[in-house]
Structures are given as C-alpha cells and as structure tokens.
Amino acid sequence: LPPDCRSPCHYRCRALVRLDCSGPPGAGDKDDGNEQVLEKDTNVDEPSEWEKTELDQAQVEQRIKEYNSQINSNLFMSLNKDGSYTGFIKVQLKLVRPVSVPATKRVPSLQAGRPHPQGVKRRTSFYLPKGTVKHLHILSHTRASEVIDALLRKFTVIDNPRKFALFERSEKDEQVYLRKLADDEQPLRLRLLAGPSEKVLSFILKENETGEVNWDAFTLPELHNFLLILQREEEEHVRRLRHRYARCRQKMQEAL
C-alpha cells in the first residue's frame, strides 16, 4: 500500500488499478463542506411525511395530472390500465469512494502454433465525476434496491449493490434531511406524493454506511487481502510496542 492510500490491492494488480489516492476531484470544495454541516441523517425506520399517505385509484390519477401540470419538461408520469403508473426519477450520485468497472485487455494465446486473441477480465477503479446525475424511467412498484441495481448497470459498476444505498433528501426550515430508503420502498411513489420539487424531495445514491462493516458484501480475494493487511498492521504495532519498552528498559538500566 502507498503511504497515503488505504485501498487494498494485490501486488501484481497495482499497475492495473487507476486510483487517485488524494481523493476525488473537488473533494475539498467549500460547497460540499457547507452542505455536510446542514445535513442530518435520520433513521431508515422513520417514514417521511408523504410515505404515510395512502391513495386510492382516483387520487392517484388526480395526483398524476397535478404532477404533469407542474413540471417544465417532458418527463411526465403515465397511468397504466392495470392501475400502476410509470415515470422518471432523477438520482444524484454522491460517492466518496472509487467504484470498480470491468476492463478487458486482449492478450495473445498460443494454440496449435497460432496466436489467438483471448479476453482476460480485469477491473479498474475510478471516481465518478462530481455532480453525476441519472434519470431513470421506472414503474410505480419498482423498489429502491432495483433502482440501485439499475444505476450500477448504467455505469457498468461491478461492486456489490449492498455497498450502496438510496437516500431521500429534503429541505425544511433551512435544514437538510437525509433518510435511507428501505429496500422495498418505491421511489416513484414517493416522487408522486412529494411533487416535482427537488427541494421537497430528491434522490441520492451514497455508500451504505451502516455503522458496522458488512463483510458479506466483499469478495473472497478482498477478504483475504484484508486479513493480510490486518496481520501486517498487527505486526507493526507489536514491533513499535517492543521497541518502546526496550528503550524504557535501557534507560532504566543506564540510570541504575
């Protein structure tokens, strides 16, 4: 590992990893810092005000008409014959850590004396550009977990979807609130109930910070690499402790 980098990487793979260890571009911008101060995370179990609202078929139809009359684009919602509806949601990607995407390198393979191109699957890591947004066309019953899967496919991200979470962002009384959506919540339903205003409700994809490391989300090579890192850190810590006590012992003997 480089001195200022804590990202695990195999020794033979380090040349294939494109990783800026100084952090994503613009990570130290003042705007992000100011917003972070205002943000207040709420518990995933605390439903938002519009999440508690129940609508019948007539109310859904009326809400869709009101929603379409308020937007200034062609991203309309449409009511289907079966009672469901379709529409667009905009998701902002605010990822502070790099994501992994596949990278295929063609290498020669000798078979029967003739070279044949053979694709070798590799991965590379990079930071998504600041302020990346994506519009998704989804159904009313599309779940938050399915939105995450769709976003990762759009950007060909091969990281485990459980490493990410979808958040709703709202502004109230000059305070910004973030709430992590449960896997089975329906973002388009929240969009319809909240209306088209981005200040009232917007969606953000972030890292899934649960307070505890979700080890099941890592692959076996990653876990083995973490064990090696822990072993090296432990050995270094023990070495420093022994060195410190050895110096103390030497000073005491000199004093005697």
Side-chain angles (χ1 to χ4, degrees), residues 13 25 77-78 95 230 237:
C13 300
M77 288 195 187
S78 303
L95 304 177
L230 287 176
H237 185 65

Side-chain angles (χ1 to χ4, degrees), residues 84-96:
S84 64
Y85 49 95
T86 58
F88 294 85
I89 63 169
K90 183 175 73 172
V91 182
Q92 181 181 10
L93 283 72
K94 295 181 63 175
L95 304 177
V96 299

Side-chain angles (χ1 to χ4, degrees), residues 26 39 52 57 77-78 93 118 120 145 157 162 164 172 177 180 194 199 210 218 231 255:
E39 287 185 355
K52 304 174 184 177
Q57 189 65 22
M77 288 195 187
S78 303
L93 283 72
Q118 181 180 4
V120 177
S145 59
V157 175
R162 295 173 64 182
F164 307 91
K172 185 177 181 182
Y177 294 90
K180 186 173 72 173
K199 287 189 175 181
T210 60
F218 294 94
Q231 180 180 354

